Amino acid sequence: RKLTKVSSKRHTMTMMMMVTPALLSRPIACKLVARVISSSSASHHHQFGTAPQSQCSRKPAARLNSGSGEPAPPAAAAAAGFGIARQIHHLRQHARRPSSSGGGTEDTRKDENGTLVDPQSDGDRAADESEAVVEEIGGDTTCRPSVNDEGLEVEEEKQQQQQQQQQQQQPFFPWRHESTETARLLEKDDFSGMPNNFRARFVRRLVACRELNMTALDAIPIPFYARGWEEELAGNFQAAFGLALEELLSSMFRGTVEVTKDDRGTISIDSSVRNDDDGDSQGNENNAEYLNRMLDKNLIAKYQTLNPDNLHLKLSIRPIEATLEHIFAVPLLSREIVEKKPNLRGGYQRIEQAFADKKSYATVKEMTYDLAREVGEDDAYTRTVIADATIECSEFFQVRDARDGVVVRGMEDGQEAEGVVHNVRFEVVTEKSDDGMGRKVGSWKIIDIDDLLEGNVFH
């Protein structure tokens, strides 16, 4: 019987040593294991070494000595990781489980005289002694697994909700302050919805050049070289971006903040400095009309729906150089036509998707004719040219919370302006000229900045 009890307790020790020592602080674990093991067999002495430093306890290492007074081996290292609460529960369940002989439990048995007794099992003694250890060291529960998991989850959810509320309350200004191009441009994606390969991009460029009254020779790209028309167009885009940004900032703060522009073309604004008057209402109306001619209304709405009283914007930007990245034409459609006939939105996207699925030119041809019939003869000669340009700028950008003055985005005061790149997307509508020679080109308009509207695609 003694051998059986010793073997059972050694099996318990083996299971204890398989658990990672991360649940108990070392002093609790060492004392608990010493009591449990010492209760297994008083005739057998096990020597324990210093338990490893627990991740959740920084107390000095405690040495447990056996009856012989010699330092203990590392067997307690693994045993120290066994959770006190789980071990107590396991021992009690093991001690009080129903007897296999039927009727009664192992806690109720007869002595030699036939009298019913209720002796403590070895598991109960170990559990009681382990509880005494906790009381003896002052009830240290630093890393005991007795924390209510549901309570922790509720607390974490509350913290996440508070963080989300704080983020929603923080002032937001839609602006990208990065030194590299957007991921879309790095992948040479022009949001045309058509194949993204060299041949397809060249065909789109060729059609766009014809819409702008240029020759096919002008459309041939030359590596590391920009043709004259490309440089001129990119330069116009750079100037238009500066003018539109100046008007956009002025309209956003309703004329109550001064927007300045120096001789070098640097546009500056500090919304923490307000004008005394509320601005000229007639001037604001004129600026709004001018702004609508330069920017698409969807892009303007992104900025004018902000509450300027919640933030202090400090922005200083000087456009330096612009580069034409992509250009393509959209036959038959314009943004105005799609607004009048919303069912045409995404028409070319659907045609391209049908070809990708079926690989049938007959299907593409039929869908194109259907689209032309829906557009109608009056608008059959309307086309749209869309271009992407990257504009390198020297920029200082900062957004402060107007309530406490804390910087929530951007740079700190005193920092030098940084080099950034903005992706600006333009479009222009072309029509058939009155003399039938060439195309009549309208005015370019900014439809997206840094993919804030994901290209503001309508076709």
Side-chain angles (χ1 to χ4, degrees):
R1 292 177 58 184
K2 288 183 179 180
L3 291 176
T4 303
K5 290 178 67 178
V6 170
S7 175
S8 175
K9 289 298 179 180
R10 286 179 178 175
H11 176 70
T12 302
M13 277 185 55
T14 304
M15 296 299 294
M16 291 167 66
M17 288 189 290
M18 294 173 63
V19 182
T20 305
L23 298 178
L24 287 176
S25 59
R26 182 175 50 254
I28 300 176
C30 294
K31 290 184 180 181
L32 171 61
V33 175
R35 297 289 182 89
V36 173
I37 297 178
S38 63
S39 67
S40 65
S41 177
S43 61
H44 292 273
H45 296 283
H46 299 275
Q47 298 178 344
F48 298 93
T50 302
Q53 181 73 21
S54 174
Q55 296 179 358
C56 52
S57 175
R58 298 184 180 274
K59 298 180 181 179
R63 285 187 173 275
L64 294 180
N65 297 332
S66 65
S68 61
E70 297 180 3
F82 202 86
I84 180 171
R86 188 174 297 177
Q87 174 67 359
I88 291 172
H89 176 73
H90 170 72
L91 291 174
R92 282 181 171 171
Q93 293 296 325
H94 176 75
R96 290 188 173 89
R97 70 178 185 269
S99 175
S100 59
S101 59
T105 64
E106 291 182 354
D107 291 334
T108 58
R109 57 177 181 265
K110 296 181 180 180
D111 59 7
E112 294 177 354
N113 299 325
T115 304
L116 291 174
V117 295
D118 187 11
Q120 276 190 322
S121 67
D122 293 336
D124 282 335
R125 286 198 300 272
D128 293 341
E129 290 176 357
S130 63
E131 292 175 348
V133 171
V134 176
E135 296 177 358
E136 179 183 339
I137 66 174
D140 183 6
T141 58
T142 305
C143 297
R144 288 182 4 186
S146 58
V147 181
N148 190 336
D149 293 338
E150 295 182 358
L152 281 177
E153 293 178 358
V154 172
E155 187 65 25
E156 290 178 356
E157 289 180 0
K158 289 182 178 179
Q159 292 179 357
Q160 292 178 357
Q161 292 177 357
Q162 291 176 356
Q163 291 177 356
Q164 292 177 356
Q165 292 176 356
Q166 291 176 357
Q167 291 176 355
Q168 292 175 355
Q169 294 175 356
Q170 284 184 352
F172 173 73
F173 183 75
W175 194 255
R176 181 178 183 270
H177 182 79
E178 299 291 343
S179 60
T180 58
E181 302 173 359
T182 58
R184 172 177 71 86
L185 288 186
L186 293 175
E187 296 172 357
K188 299 186 181 301
D189 185 3
D190 57 8
F191 277 161
S192 64
M194 290 173 270
N196 186 12
N197 55 62
F198 177 81
R199 180 179 179 277
R201 289 195 298 268
F202 171 70
V203 172
R204 294 197 292 272
R205 178 185 171 101
L206 176 61
V207 175
C209 286
R210 296 298 299 271
E211 288 297 312
L212 299 178
N213 299 315
M214 290 182 286
T215 65
L217 183 62
D218 293 328
I220 299 176
I222 301 176
F224 310 106
Y225 176 77
R227 294 183 176 273
W229 69 269
E230 292 182 82
E231 292 182 345
E232 181 181 357
L233 188 60
N236 292 338
F237 287 165
Q238 176 180 328
F241 173 66
L243 293 172
L245 182 61
E246 186 177 357
E247 293 297 328
L248 179 64
L249 294 174
S250 179
S251 66
M252 176 181 171
F253 293 96
R254 302 175 182 88
T256 60
V257 177
E258 184 179 6
V259 181
T260 62
K261 186 175 183 180
D262 61 16
D263 296 337
R264 303 179 61 191
T266 302
I267 302 167
S268 302
I269 183 175
D270 185 354
S271 66
S272 62
V273 181
R274 300 293 179 98
N275 297 332
D276 295 335
D277 56 359
D278 295 333
D280 182 9
S281 59
Q282 183 64 34
N284 291 339
E285 291 179 2
N286 295 334
N287 291 343
E289 182 181 353
Y290 183 46
L291 187 63
N292 286 326
R293 290 202 302 263
M294 293 190 297
L295 281 84
D296 179 66
K297 62 181 181 181
N298 295 326
L299 183 60
I300 297 174
K302 272 290 185 180
Y303 290 90
Q304 291 187 339
T305 53
L306 302 176
N307 186 356
D309 296 330
N310 290 341
L311 59 88
H312 287 163
L313 171 67
K314 185 182 290 186
L315 177 65
S316 176
I317 178 172
R318 178 169 63 91
I320 299 174
E321 184 179 4
T323 304
L324 181 64
E325 299 291 342
H326 302 293
I327 188 167
F328 64 95
V330 180
L332 299 175
L333 291 181
S334 70
R335 197 172 295 271
E336 183 179 357
I337 294 174
V338 171
E339 289 179 356
K340 292 188 299 184
K341 301 177 180 180
N343 61 303
L344 299 179
R345 181 177 297 276
Y348 280 101
Q349 305 277 352
R350 291 190 291 271
I351 293 175
E352 179 60 32
Q353 186 60 44
F355 179 75
D357 295 339
K358 301 180 179 180
K359 305 297 182 184
S360 172
Y361 288 100
T363 301
V364 172
K365 184 178 179 180
E366 181 181 357
M367 293 181 68
T368 303
Y369 285 154
D370 291 341
L371 179 62
R373 282 191 291 268
E374 290 186 36
V375 170
E377 293 184 2
D378 294 340
D379 298 319
Y381 295 100
T382 301
R383 297 163 193 168
T384 304
V385 178
I386 299 176
D388 277 310
T390 52
I391 302 178
E392 299 178 13
C393 303
S394 176
E395 180 177 296
F396 178 92
F397 171 66
Q398 180 189 89
V399 176
R400 288 182 180 271
D401 192 325
R403 295 166 296 183
D404 51 20
V406 175
V407 176
V408 294
R409 281 193 62 202
M411 307 161 63
E412 297 288 345
D413 289 334
Q415 289 185 268
E416 296 292 333
E418 299 176 341
V420 300
V421 178
H422 290 291
N423 172 28
V424 187
R425 191 171 174 90
F426 295 80
E427 76 176 19
V428 65
V429 176
T430 67
E431 298 175 343
K432 184 178 180 180
S433 62
D434 298 334
D435 58 4
M437 301 294 293
R439 303 287 296 174
K440 184 167 60 176
V441 182
S443 300
W444 288 94
K445 179 180 287 191
I446 297 176
I447 61 173
D448 201 3
I449 299 176
D450 293 324
D451 291 345
L452 180 64
L453 302 177
E454 296 184 355
N456 200 359
V457 177
F458 69 90
H459 53 279

